[in-house]
Amino acid sequence: MVTNKFIDGWLHEAKELLQPDKVVFIDGSDKQRAELTKFAEDEGIIHKLNENMYENSYLYRSNPTDVARVEQRTFICTRTKREVGNTNNWLEKDKAYIMLKDIYRGCMKGRTMYVIPFIMGPYASDSSKCGIQITDSVYVVLSMCIMTRVGDKVLERIGGTNDFVRCWHAVDGCDPEKRYICHFPEDNTIMSVNSEYGGNALLGKKSFALRIASYLGKNEGWMAEHMLTLGVQKPDGEIIYVSAAFPSACGKTNFAMIEPPKQYLDKGYKVWCVSDDISWFKTGEDGRLWAINPENGFFGVVPGTSDKTNKNAMASMKRNTIFTNVVHDVDNNDVWWEGKGVEPPENAIDWQGNKWTKGMGTKGAHPNSRFAAPIENCPNISSEVNSANGVPISAMIFGGRRSEAVPLVYEAFDWPHGVFIGSVMASEATAAASDQAKIRTDPMAMLPFCGYDMGDYFGHWLNMGERLGDKAPKIFNVNWFRKDSEGRFIWPGYSENMRVLMWIIDRCCKVAQAKETPVGYVPIQGGIDTDGLEGISEEDLNYLLTVDREAWKGEVTRIEEYYKFIGETVPEKLTMQLEQMKKRILG
């Protein structure tokens, strides 16, 4: 183990404040992980599942008050509010430290403090960043061992430097009134207390990989984004990589692991998953934008996931997985959730630990129930997932859950217009956060995750485009969720989204045609391959690609109000984009 005065000093401070009975360093070994798993099982924290169905996999139930991200309890803590803007909750950082340390004081008495050295990104990559998390939750330890690369090797990477993110976490009493997830970007520090839910407690995930990393990226000239990355391999072997941003629970994991329809498989097309949730981007030596996956596992929503909707996700869950807040099939020692594609079990325990049957009128699995699985489990994981350089990005895609107005797909006129599209994307509510408006503007799907002022964030995107010049990726917007007048989803979605993806790929390769509309370029008639696609007519497809000017007048109003809310930091280039769109919409 490397001796580091900065780590030693911080851990000494933590031990004096938290007062644990014992301290355990996570070394990354299989032996230690097996011991901790056995301890958690013996203590009743996790329950081992049927080995023949889910190898070395477990069920965990969280506190019923602690089932999702809590945005109203999530804060960015800086010297002044100017740094965080109007879209983040703010606390003055000195006052926040005092408040949090009062809550932390003595909270690990009688408990073990685990010390988890972890790295976000491949060990060999210059783009990777290190952190150390302290926690009193063995569930968090086991989940971090899935989601990140952990152990002594990380300490070797840190060496004698002060270049690591300090991640404080304590379950304490899981009191929702004292629940805080606080980020100190100026100090490379995260402090989370009274939550054991993944997004609030696995601090390498949203807290580090997005909130802290977005701030680091702004200062260091790179980008941390709530984006999946995948590669489409053509029959000739060429792979085109794209990244896409969707709000949580909007089909992001399904798209990242998409299984091409049979007609594409028969022609030799393949899709490779690089990342299902978060991507870090840096300009490469060739001037292009390159992406790495900072994570080492999946933390996906399970309701609605089945062999029909996401065969690769289902396969990814088959071993070394922790399920959180799903139904326990007692007779088979199996797990179940709504949308699994099989009948619910007769003898079942719901996500809260109560006897449950399908006729009770309640959900058996929580709508935000999750699976944490190693990335290596995924059948279509990219061979480049551990590449030091990452993969080159040809397109960036934005998309939300919109039942009307927004076309199936459209392309930005240029990079500034694409940044505008991303800055004003909106989505209908999901279960991933416990406090959302019915429809909310969610810029680049980063509203809950940007670690600094949103207007400055837009400016950083514009600056990145200027650096990339003509090598900047093309930018697109997609919407799988448009409905007809009877409330029916028109586009079939899931694997059929490959058809839209292929139009995007062909646009990047300059072999697909498009027509101009007031909001961007859409496919010409026949531009989307519908061969073998059932249940959708040419009339339906035309409707999906139509820009309704009346509906978009409402979008203009929404965007104007949102930019006003963000304030004076919205770049002038984007307000100009808004004015230009208004003219196109209003004619």
Side-chain angles (χ1 to χ4, degrees):
M1 187 176 295
V2 176
T3 299
N4 180 307
K5 65 179 182 181
F6 302 105
I7 297 174
D8 291 345
W10 173 56
L11 292 180
H12 178 74
E13 175 194 359
K15 284 187 286 186
E16 284 203 334
L17 179 65
L18 300 168
Q19 301 175 34
D21 280 15
K22 185 170 67 170
V23 177
V24 173
F25 272 80
I26 303 304
D27 60 20
S29 69
D30 291 340
K31 179 176 181 294
Q32 184 189 54
R33 184 173 173 182
E35 291 170 349
L36 290 172
T37 301
K38 182 67 166 58
F39 166 76
E41 186 181 3
D42 289 346
E43 291 294 309
I45 297 168
I46 58 177
H47 172 80
K48 186 173 177 61
L49 297 170
N50 187 324
E51 188 74 12
N52 295 322
M53 295 179 175
Y54 296 96
E55 179 186 345
N56 191 38
S57 297
Y58 297 84
L59 169 64
Y60 171 79
R61 295 189 186 97
S62 73
N63 185 301
T65 71
D66 188 30
V67 294
R69 287 183 288 105
V70 279
E71 291 175 19
Q72 76 273 23
R73 310 296 295 186
T74 302
F75 296 87
I76 308 296
C77 308
T78 54
R79 290 186 299 273
T80 70
K81 192 176 186 300
R82 165 63 184 85
E83 289 92 358
V84 308
N86 294 329
T87 62
N88 285 306
N89 298 320
W90 174 73
L91 288 174
E92 194 279 319
K93 71 174 187 178
D94 290 338
K95 293 180 180 178
Y97 278 131
I98 293 170
M99 176 193 69
L100 289 164
K101 288 181 179 180
D102 281 345
I103 297 173
Y104 280 127
R105 190 165 287 110
C107 74
M108 288 192 188
K109 285 180 180 179
R111 298 176 66 81
T112 297
M113 183 175 87
Y114 300 98
V115 181
I116 315 168
F118 66 96
I119 187 169
M120 305 305 296
Y123 285 112
S125 178
D126 291 339
S127 299
S128 299
K129 299 282 186 181
C130 296
I132 299 177
Q133 176 162 346
I134 54 176
T135 182
D136 55 353
S137 167
V138 69
Y139 164 74
V140 167
V141 173
L142 295 174
S143 298
M144 285 290 287
C145 288
I146 292 173
M147 295 304 302
T148 68
R149 300 159 178 88
V150 306
D152 293 346
K153 196 172 178 180
V154 178
L155 295 176
E156 294 173 9
R157 167 78 178 240
I158 296 171
T161 73
N162 194 26
D163 188 15
F164 66 97
V165 175
R166 292 156 170 81
C167 301
W168 299 68
H169 174 254
V171 178
D172 198 15
C174 216
D175 182 352
E177 297 303 315
K178 293 182 179 179
R179 184 171 295 154
Y180 291 94
I181 302 91
C182 293
H183 309 76
F184 300 80
E186 297 160 335
D187 302 336
N188 257 13
T189 295
I190 304 162
M191 303 181 86
S192 172
V193 66
N194 278 301
S195 175
E196 208 169 6
Y197 167 75
N200 304 328
L202 310 184
L203 299 184
K205 196 163 178 58
K206 307 297 192 185
S207 288
F208 182 164
L210 289 177
R211 297 188 186 103
I212 295 295
S214 62
Y215 177 85
L216 293 173
K218 172 179 70 78
N219 293 337
E220 298 172 2
W222 53 280
M223 302 166 72
E225 299 297 330
H226 189 210
M227 283 186 152
L228 66 90
T229 294
L230 61 80
V232 175
Q233 181 174 327
K234 298 180 177 181
D236 63 6
E238 180 187 14
I239 303 178
I240 306 295
Y241 293 96
V242 306
S243 295
F246 302 96
S248 296
C250 285
K252 195 174 183 187
T253 301
N254 290 346
F255 193 55
M257 301 180 185
I258 191 169
E259 180 83 4
K262 184 177 184 301
Q263 69 202 68
Y264 288 101
L265 290 172
D266 290 346
K267 292 176 183 177
Y269 285 94
K270 298 177 181 178
V271 176
W272 302 108
C273 175
V274 178
S275 168
D276 78 312
D277 191 38
I278 299 172
S279 299
W280 287 358
F281 301 92
K282 184 178 285 188
T283 305
E285 293 181 1
D286 60 359
R288 293 186 294 172
L289 196 65
W290 289 69
I292 67 164
N293 180 357
E295 300 189 285
N296 199 38
F298 304 120
F299 188 67
V301 176
V302 284
T305 305
S306 67
D307 284 328
K308 179 181 178 181
T309 63
N310 194 333
K311 186 164 64 175
N312 287 321
M314 292 293 285
S316 298
M317 305 173 192
K318 286 297 183 182
R319 61 186 183 278
N320 303 324
T321 294
I322 298 176
F323 294 91
T324 299
N325 292 339
V326 296
V327 172
H328 184 213
D329 174 353
V330 177
D331 292 338
N332 297 301
N333 197 17
D334 191 4
V335 287
W336 184 87
W337 52 84
E338 282 76 10
K340 191 178 182 182
V342 297
E343 285 297 309
E346 295 294 330
N347 184 13
I349 304 295
D350 72 5
W351 70 273
Q352 297 184 76
N354 301 316
K355 178 75 175 175
W356 179 84
T357 63
K358 66 178 180 179
M360 293 177 65
T362 60
K363 298 284 188 183
H366 189 273
N368 195 42
S369 53
R370 298 277 175 159
F371 75 96
I375 201 167
E376 64 195 32
N377 285 6
C378 184
N380 73 327
I381 197 65
S382 170
S383 61
E384 299 298 312
V385 73
N386 290 308
S387 168
N389 295 323
V391 297
I393 302 302
S394 296
M396 303 183 93
I397 303 167
F398 299 119
R401 181 181 289 267
R402 299 298 304 275
S403 57
E404 51 189 30
V406 180
L408 176 64
V409 60
Y410 62 99
E411 178 189 343
F413 298 128
D414 52 30
W415 181 272
H417 182 232
V419 175
F420 169 73
I421 289 170
S423 76
V424 300
M425 65 180 273
S427 190
E428 294 160 13
T430 74
S434 61
D435 49 339
Q436 289 191 13
K438 183 178 179 181
I439 294 180
R440 68 172 184 175
T441 307
D442 190 354
M444 285 80 167
M446 280 287 283
L447 180 66
F449 309 121
C450 185
Y452 60 101
D453 176 76
M454 190 60 76
D456 292 341
Y457 168 77
F458 297 155
H460 182 49
W461 265 80
L462 292 169
N463 291 338
M464 288 294 293
E466 290 179 4
R467 291 178 205 160
L468 292 163
D470 60 5
K471 294 185 178 180
K474 287 179 174 290
I475 296 179
F476 299 82
N477 193 91
V478 299
N479 176 30
W480 320 127
F481 302 100
R482 197 161 174 177
K483 297 180 179 179
D484 62 17
S485 58
E486 297 178 356
R488 176 183 66 96
F489 287 116
I490 304 171
W491 183 250
Y494 303 116
S495 66
E496 302 300 350
N497 294 339
M498 180 77 178
R499 299 171 186 273
V500 176
L501 179 58
M502 286 310 304
W503 181 79
I504 290 171
I505 295 295
D506 287 345
R507 287 293 290 172
C508 293
C509 297
K510 300 180 180 179
V511 296
Q513 292 183 297
K515 62 181 180 181
E516 185 173 336
T517 75
V519 300
Y521 298 115
V522 302
I524 61 171
Q525 187 170 5
I528 299 291
D529 176 19
T530 57
D531 184 33
L533 183 61
E534 298 180 357
I536 185 167
S537 66
E538 185 175 329
E539 182 181 2
D540 287 333
L541 192 58
N542 288 337
Y543 176 73
L544 287 171
L545 296 173
T546 297
V547 176
D548 183 339
R549 289 178 184 267
E550 286 301 313
W552 274 86
K553 288 178 183 178
E555 291 292 291
V556 168
T557 301
R558 174 184 62 81
I559 294 165
E560 288 176 328
E561 291 175 352
Y562 194 72
Y563 274 5
K564 185 177 180 180
F565 171 67
I566 293 174
E568 296 179 355
T569 58
V570 175
E572 184 179 356
K573 285 185 178 179
L574 295 191
T575 57
M576 289 173 58
Q577 288 288 338
L578 173 58
E579 290 305 311
Q580 291 168 9
M581 189 184 81
K582 281 175 65 176
K583 291 179 181 177
R584 295 192 298 267
I585 293 294
L586 299 175

